[in-house]
Amino acid sequence: MRTFRTRTTAAAATALLAALSLTACQNGDGSDLGAAPSALPSAAPSSPAADAPAPANSASPAGAKGGNGTSTGTGTGTGTGKDGSGTGDQAKPAAPAGKGGSADPASFAPCTGDNTRVTAVQPPRPINHLLITATNTGSRTCLAYSAPLLRFDDEQAAAQIIEGSKPQAVVTLAPGQSAYASVVLSGERAPEEANGRVTQRLAVLFASRDASGSVGSPAVVKLPADTYKTDDAAVSYWQSTREDALTY
């Protein structure tokens, strides 16, 4: 009996050692499934700000200034409207050519002694010259054709014309405007050779459009005292200014 108990006790001890060895093998790697939850490593919770996607239409202050340039806009522009660059309806179109201008030249009258006032004076310069002025006193525009036809005192021949003084266009006189012509009283010849003499009056006739003769009544003016002229006296074409007339 003592032998049986000893074997039974030995067998029980052996079984206990085996069970303990098996338990030690299961816990050797530290991953016992029976461990408490607190013993297991836990992952750090993710930050909502880091994981959440940024809104598609959000922009930082720096991005607003240095982005792709769309934040500056083009609303003010240089359009052609009222608020644009001034090319809208504020600009006024030019008046059509000829509108509100002078009347048809076909309706103009020729200048004559009847519709003008004529004067003759001696200018300070150049010397040996007369300045003839014809002012339109009528109610219609008149045309001063060619050059004045001049006759001193009772002379029959008109003074010669300075051909180099012909203007580019006929001088047109609206009511109140004036035309000018200069008279060279003597030429290169000596007075005794060119029949020099003192004259007192001057008849001014106006040329026709085709310069074939005179039209209308002559204007007779008294000359300045001691006006001396020769047969070489010559007159310029009508000019629009006295300065132009006195260049001849």
Side-chain angles (χ1 to χ4, degrees), residues 152-246:
F152 290 89
D153 292 334
D154 296 328
E155 294 178 0
Q156 297 299 314
Q160 58 187 322
I161 297 174
I162 304 172
E163 292 298 334
S165 64
K166 185 175 182 179
Q168 294 182 351
V170 175
V171 177
T172 303
L173 301 182
Q177 292 183 331
S178 299
Y180 306 89
S182 64
V183 181
V184 181
L185 294 173
S186 60
E188 296 181 355
R189 292 190 300 171
E192 57 273 14
E193 295 177 359
N195 191 25
R197 60 200 179 274
V198 174
T199 58
Q200 298 179 346
R201 67 181 185 275
L202 179 66
V204 180
L205 294 94
F206 291 82
S208 61
R209 181 174 183 178
D210 59 4
S212 60
S214 62
V215 292
S217 303
V220 180
V221 296
K222 183 179 180 180
L223 294 174
D226 301 325
T227 298
Y228 190 90
K229 56 97 50 185
T230 69
D231 290 344
D232 294 336
V235 62
S236 73
Y237 279 74
W238 289 113
Q239 309 291 328
S240 58
T241 68
R242 68 185 66 196
E243 289 79 12
D244 289 342
L246 292 175

Side-chain angles (χ1 to χ4, degrees), residues 121-164:
V121 298
Q122 283 185 327
R125 292 181 182 276
I127 61 174
N128 298 327
H129 274 65
L130 286 176
L131 177 65
I132 300 174
T133 302
T135 302
N136 184 356
T137 58
S139 59
R140 296 172 57 191
T141 297
C142 72
L143 300 175
Y145 292 111
S146 189
L149 306 177
L150 305 183
R151 292 178 179 173
F152 290 89
D153 292 334
D154 296 328
E155 294 178 0
Q156 297 299 314
Q160 58 187 322
I161 297 174
I162 304 172
E163 292 298 334

